[in-house]
Amino acid sequence: MSETSGLPPADTSPDKAIPLPIPHPRPPRLPSSLRNLQAWLPIYLSKTDANLTRVSSILSTPSGTDTVLLTICYTSLLTSSVLSSISLSRIRQQALSVIEKAISLPPNTTLYISTSNIPPSRLLIVSARLKALSSLISDFRIFARLWGLLGMYSWGKRVWNQDGGDQVVRRIVGVQVLSNIAYQYLENMAYLSSKGVCGWSAEKQNRAWVWSSRFWAVHVILDFLRLGRERSEQRKVVKWKGREEEAEREEQEFWARWRRQLVVNLAYAPLTVHWSLEKGLVGEFWVGLLGSVAGLAGLKELWRKSGLS
C-alpha cells in the first residue's frame, strides 16, 4: 500500500485556492520636461488668474481704463518712431551702397535699377500700424473726455465745500478747476467740429486745440506749485508720541505719492509746451517717450493698488 493512500484527497475548490500575487507593470516614467510642466502648471495658472483679476480690476474704472489706453497709445507711438528710424537707416545704407557701386562703374555705363521686385520694409509696415493704433486710441480718449465737464463740476464742488486743510493748496486747486474747465470746453468744441457736429471753422479749431493745450499747461504749472507747497508743509509735520510708527508710514506714503506726481508732471510739462505751440516743439519720438513715462508711472500705481484689494 502507498504511504499517501491514507491521506484525504486534496481540496481543489476555487474558494480554497491560495491567491498568487500578480505582478503589475510600472507606469512609464514621464520625461523630465513633462514632470516639470506638471509641477509648475498649477503655479502658472494661479499667477495668471491673479494677474487677470488685477487687470480686470484696473479696467473696471474709467480712470483705470484711460490710464491703460494712455500707456498703450504712447508706447505704440514710441515703438513706431523707433522702428521707423531703424528702417529708414537701413534704407539709407542700402541706397549709399548702390550709389557707391554706381560710381565705380565705367563711364558711359547705363545703370538700370528696378524697384518692382524690392519687398516692402516689414519694420515700416509694423511702424505704420502701431502709429495708426496710437492715433485710434488718442481719438477714442478724446471722445471719452466729452463728458469730462461733469467730472470737473464734481471736482469743483468738492473744493468749494472743503473744510479745513491748507488754504493755499485749496486756492491753487480752485484755479486748476477753472483752467481745466476752459481746457475741456475748447477740446470738446474743436473735436466735435472736426467731426462735423459743431460748426467751428478749421482755423478756429486749430486755435482751440492750441489754447486748450495752453490751459492744460497752466494746470501742470499750478501742480508744480501745489507739490512745492505740500512739500514745505510736510516738512513741518511733528510726529506725536505714541504714534511714531503710524506717522512714519503716512509720511512714506506721502513721499511716494509726491514723487510719482512729480514724475508725471515733469513728463507732461514738455508735452503741454509742444502742443501749445502752433508748429510744435519736439518730434514723435519724444512725444512717445514722455507720454510713456507718464502712463507707466500711473499704471504702476494702479497695479500696486489692485494687489491690495
Side-chain angles (χ1 to χ4, degrees):
M1 177 180 290
S2 173
E3 294 181 357
T4 60
S5 59
L7 295 177
D11 189 354
T12 58
S13 59
D15 55 341
K16 298 296 184 178
I18 300 176
L20 297 176
I22 301 175
H24 295 281
R26 291 184 179 182
R29 187 176 178 84
L30 295 175
S32 59
S33 58
L34 291 180
R35 291 201 305 272
N36 292 336
L37 178 61
Q38 189 176 23
W40 286 100
L41 186 60
I43 300 176
Y44 290 148
L45 293 177
S46 176
K47 289 185 177 181
T48 302
D49 175 71
N51 290 334
L52 290 177
T53 301
R54 295 175 74 173
V55 171
S56 177
S57 175
I58 293 173
L59 295 177
S60 64
T61 62
S63 60
T65 302
D66 185 70
T67 301
V68 172
L69 291 176
L70 180 148
T71 306
I72 297 175
C73 175
Y74 286 111
T75 53
S76 297
L77 183 62
L78 175 61
T79 307
S80 171
S81 177
V82 172
L83 293 180
S84 178
S85 299
I86 294 174
S87 179
L88 292 176
S89 176
R90 291 179 179 178
I91 293 174
R92 191 179 299 110
Q93 292 176 358
Q94 293 174 358
L96 290 175
S97 176
V98 172
I99 293 174
E100 291 176 356
K101 292 180 180 179
I103 293 175
S104 63
L105 293 175
N108 301 325
T109 300
T110 302
L111 180 64
Y112 175 75
I113 300 176
S114 176
T115 60
S116 59
N117 296 326
I118 299 177
S121 172
R122 294 183 179 180
L123 292 181
L124 282 180
I125 294 175
V126 175
S127 173
R129 291 176 178 175
L130 287 174
K131 188 174 181 179
L133 174 63
S134 176
S135 178
L136 175 64
I137 294 176
S138 178
D139 190 274
F140 175 79
R141 291 183 65 235
I142 296 174
F143 175 81
R145 287 198 298 266
L146 288 175
W147 295 269
L149 288 173
L150 297 176
M152 291 175 190
Y153 167 78
S154 300
W155 182 23
K157 187 178 179 180
R158 287 195 306 270
V159 175
W160 180 266
N161 295 329
Q162 179 183 349
D163 294 328
D166 188 355
Q167 293 302 310
V168 175
V169 173
R170 182 184 178 187
R171 294 189 187 99
I172 292 175
V173 176
V175 178
Q176 282 183 310
V177 172
L178 297 176
S179 175
N180 277 273
I181 289 174
Y183 152 75
Q184 193 62 69
Y185 169 75
L186 291 173
E187 183 186 75
N188 287 357
M189 292 300 296
Y191 178 76
L192 292 175
S193 296
S194 69
K195 303 300 181 181
V197 178
C198 296
W200 284 9
S201 63
E203 182 180 358
K204 194 172 183 179
Q205 291 175 37
N206 293 332
R207 289 201 305 268
W209 287 118
V210 170
W211 275 100
S212 67
S213 299
R214 290 173 181 173
F215 281 113
W216 183 21
V218 171
H219 166 84
V220 174
I221 294 172
L222 291 172
D223 230 27
F224 282 122
L225 297 178
R226 177 184 63 81
L227 291 172
R229 175 68 179 183
E230 290 180 350
R231 178 176 179 272
S232 63
E233 290 298 306
Q234 182 65 22
R235 292 184 177 276
K236 300 177 183 178
V237 173
V238 179
K239 297 179 180 180
W240 300 337
K241 292 183 178 180
R243 59 186 300 270
E244 287 83 357
E245 184 177 351
E246 181 182 352
E248 185 177 356
R249 184 176 65 254
E250 291 177 356
E251 185 175 7
Q252 290 176 351
E253 293 176 353
F254 169 82
W255 287 115
R257 181 177 65 255
W258 189 90
R259 285 190 292 268
R260 183 180 67 257
Q261 293 177 356
L262 179 64
V263 169
V264 171
N265 282 298
L266 286 174
Y268 275 144
L271 293 179
T272 59
V273 175
H274 167 70
W275 286 313
S276 296
L277 302 176
E278 294 184 358
K279 295 184 179 180
L281 181 66
V282 295
E284 289 184 348
F285 172 81
W286 290 105
V287 172
L289 178 61
L290 294 170
S292 298
V293 171
L296 290 172
L299 188 60
K300 180 181 178 181
E301 177 63 11
L302 288 177
W303 185 260
R304 184 189 69 83
K305 289 182 177 180
S306 67
L308 299 177
S309 59

